[in-house]
């Protein structure tokens, strides 16, 4: 599997594999691209972890609302391995488990806070 982090204000678009743009007819299915419940905070933004299958080479991401950014689209070409994700998580100060697709009402658990719930910081 491969991974990437994506801001809540962005969403995924097209997906590429070795032969080019993902072809549902050839694969007989959609690509495995799943949002995980693990999130980190960076510069005041929530970044959610996404998992994609090994056959995926690139993922297009676009802002959810055109007013948030002047950028129309971005293609993620450097997807992370599981080892790289673990390395990144070990460097983070704030990691949390978002139980829903919205972070409303979820308070990030600080790793340096012994009172933080273990279920929110366990990886």
């Amino acid at each position: 599997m491969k991974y990437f982090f994506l801001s809540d204000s962005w969403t995924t678009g097209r997906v590429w594999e070795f032969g080019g743009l993902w072809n549902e007819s050839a694969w007989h299915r959609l690509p495995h691209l799943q949002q995980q419940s693990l999130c980190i905070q960076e510069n005041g933004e929530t970044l959610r972890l996404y998992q994609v299958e090994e056959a995926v080479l690139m993922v297009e991401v676009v802002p959810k609302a055109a007013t948030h950014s002047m950028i129309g689209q971005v293609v993620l070409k450097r997807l992370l391995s599981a080892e790289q994700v673990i390395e990144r998580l070990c460097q983070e100060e704030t990691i949390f488990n978002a139980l829903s697709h919205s972070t409303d009402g979820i308070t990030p658990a600080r790793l340096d806070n012994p009172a933080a719930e273990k279920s929110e910081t366990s990886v």
Side-chain angles (χ1 to χ4, degrees):
M1 290 293 182
K2 297 177 185 177
Y3 302 87
F4 62 93
F5 288 96
L6 186 61
S7 170
D8 274 344
S9 61
W10 288 67
T11 188
T12 58
R14 298 176 294 178
V15 174
W16 285 265
E17 48 100 5
F18 183 72
L21 199 56
W22 188 274
N23 185 337
E24 290 178 41
S25 299
W27 284 88
H28 302 291
R29 62 180 176 80
L30 292 170
H32 172 81
L33 191 148
Q34 185 176 15
Q35 179 181 349
Q36 305 297 298
S37 60
L38 192 61
C39 303
I40 60 175
Q41 289 279 60
E42 186 175 279
N43 298 325
E45 275 202 80
T46 299
L47 300 178
R48 294 183 184 270
L49 181 64
Y50 282 77
Q51 180 184 57
V52 297
E53 65 183 274
E54 196 63 36
V56 172
L57 293 180
M58 298 183 293
V59 178
E60 175 188 55
V61 295
V62 294
K64 288 182 180 177
T67 58
H68 280 113
S69 174
M70 304 266 312
I71 301 171
Q73 69 183 37
V74 174
V75 177
L76 303 177
K77 295 181 180 181
R78 293 185 181 163
L79 301 173
L80 304 170
S81 67
E83 292 82 13
Q84 290 170 314
V85 170
I86 291 171
E87 215 173 277
R88 173 74 188 270
L89 293 172
C90 289
Q91 296 171 359
E92 290 300 320
E93 191 173 295
T94 305
I95 302 171
F96 59 99
N97 182 355
L99 301 176
S100 69
H101 291 289
S102 169
T103 57
D104 295 339
I106 296 176
T107 304
R110 302 212 24 120
L111 294 180
D112 57 355
N113 181 357
E117 290 183 19
K118 292 184 185 229
S119 64
E120 290 184 348
T121 58
S122 60
V123 181

